[in-house]
Amino acid sequence: MTQKILFIISGLLIIGAIIAIIVTNKPKVSDKLLTVETEYNYVYTDSKVITIKLYANKKKHKIHHKENINFTFLVSNDDNARFELDLLDIKYSHEEKYIGDDYYAYNYHFKMPRLETNLLIDDAYLEIQLVDGTSYLMAIGKFKFLYYPHVGVEKLIKIDGLHGYKLQGSEFPRLNKIILETNSLDNTTIESISIDGETNLNFEINQNEIQIIIPFKRIALFQAPLILTITKNGQTSVQVVDNFLFFNDYQTLEIASDICHLYEAN
């Protein structure tokens, strides 16, 4: 009996040694961060919150903890524009797959920078500096800050509903059409509609419903404001519908891998 027990113990020790060797020799997965090129159009208000999504291949990365972050900046590609962002909080969102690997999405919420003019950052980067001196510079897409001094004041038409849709038959994470429902367009002419303050979009009016078409670009778009130039009773004014999140996408990395940027984050 004693010999049998010794044999079992020896066998278990051998198995344990083999497992230890396998674990020790298993290649270590390096920490990685990932961003998706996204079109951000924000109308300035004092209480506005900017949300930027970052992905990581590990849940417990140090960049996910606000206390580890010293400074955050929004930076242009040529470094001519550089704005410090006030980080409010970081919240876990969901899990996705990227080229077969698991990635975890976190929403970084920032306070809107104070400004009194329109500002375009065509190739925008998010720079994060940690308290230990580590710094990350990650491409995030295109930023446009829009300034309208009387946002929310002019209400020439009442907004009863907003609905956003992707391009029919496409899973690409980009807003393609917005339907705006209103109560009445009597004595009202819609002169132009824009989501970026520059490009006038095509639209159709069907009774009290306005269908707005957004051109396709190879860049993600989830939320947008609406800037409407309206003539009512002979008077032309601008009405701004503040930023609205039209949809969330939980398969962005799988569908739009060509607009993703991967960074080593050890």
Side-chain angles (χ1 to χ4, degrees), residues 97-130:
K97 290 281 188 183
Y98 177 73
I99 315 181
D101 294 328
D102 294 331
Y103 276 80
Y104 306 95
Y106 285 80
N107 289 322
Y108 286 63
H109 301 293
F110 304 92
K111 185 177 180 181
M112 177 80 171
R114 188 169 185 85
L115 72 157
E116 294 183 356
T117 185
N118 290 352
L119 173 67
L120 170 65
I121 304 179
D122 209 19
D123 294 305
Y125 287 76
L126 181 65
E127 182 179 332
I128 298 179
Q129 298 178 8
L130 304 186

Side-chain angles (χ1 to χ4, degrees), residues 63-81:
I63 202 173
H64 299 324
H65 300 279
K66 186 173 183 263
E67 62 270 19
N68 292 337
I69 296 177
N70 204 10
F71 297 104
T72 53
F73 297 93
L74 187 63
V75 187
S76 63
N77 184 41
D78 56 11
D79 208 27
N80 285 334

Side-chain angles (χ1 to χ4, degrees), residues 102-230:
D102 294 331
Y103 276 80
Y104 306 95
Y106 285 80
N107 289 322
Y108 286 63
H109 301 293
F110 304 92
K111 185 177 180 181
M112 177 80 171
R114 188 169 185 85
L115 72 157
E116 294 183 356
T117 185
N118 290 352
L119 173 67
L120 170 65
I121 304 179
D122 209 19
D123 294 305
Y125 287 76
L126 181 65
E127 182 179 332
I128 298 179
Q129 298 178 8
L130 304 186
V131 293
D132 66 2
T134 307
S135 181
Y136 302 101
L137 186 65
M138 298 166 285
I140 54 174
K142 179 183 293 187
F143 257 87
K144 180 162 284 188
F145 294 123
L146 306 171
Y147 179 74
Y148 293 91
H150 305 297
V151 60
V153 176
E154 293 287 353
K155 294 184 179 179
L156 302 176
I157 62 173
K158 181 183 176 184
I159 310 300
D160 291 332
L162 282 175
H163 310 279
Y165 302 90
K166 297 180 184 179
L167 182 65
Q168 189 172 2
S170 171
E171 292 300 321
F172 189 79
R174 181 175 176 82
L175 187 63
N176 170 255
K177 179 171 67 175
I178 297 172
I179 294 180
L180 184 155
E181 298 172 354
T182 182
N183 60 339
S184 175
L185 292 173
D186 294 341
N187 302 316
T188 302
T189 301
I190 307 297
E191 305 290 353
S192 66
I193 302 176
S194 174
I195 63 169
D196 62 5
E198 286 186 338
T199 308
N200 291 333
L201 304 175
N202 293 328
F203 62 91
E204 294 181 358
I205 299 176
N206 183 11
Q207 295 182 343
N208 293 333
E209 183 179 278
I210 306 174
Q211 295 191 24
I212 306 156
I213 303 301
I214 299 171
F216 181 80
K217 297 178 183 177
R218 201 72 186 169
I219 186 170
L221 176 63
F222 306 102
Q223 58 80 36
L226 287 174
I227 299 97
L228 302 97
T229 303
I230 300 170

Side-chain angles (χ1 to χ4, degrees), residues 13 17-18 46 62 65 83 118-119 127 175 177 182 216 226 232 247 251 262 264:
L13 289 173
I18 293 172
D46 287 336
K62 56 188 176 182
H65 300 279
F83 297 89
N118 290 352
L119 173 67
E127 182 179 332
L175 187 63
K177 179 171 67 175
T182 182
F216 181 80
L226 287 174
K232 188 166 188 174
F247 67 92
Q251 294 181 328
L262 194 63
E264 294 289 339

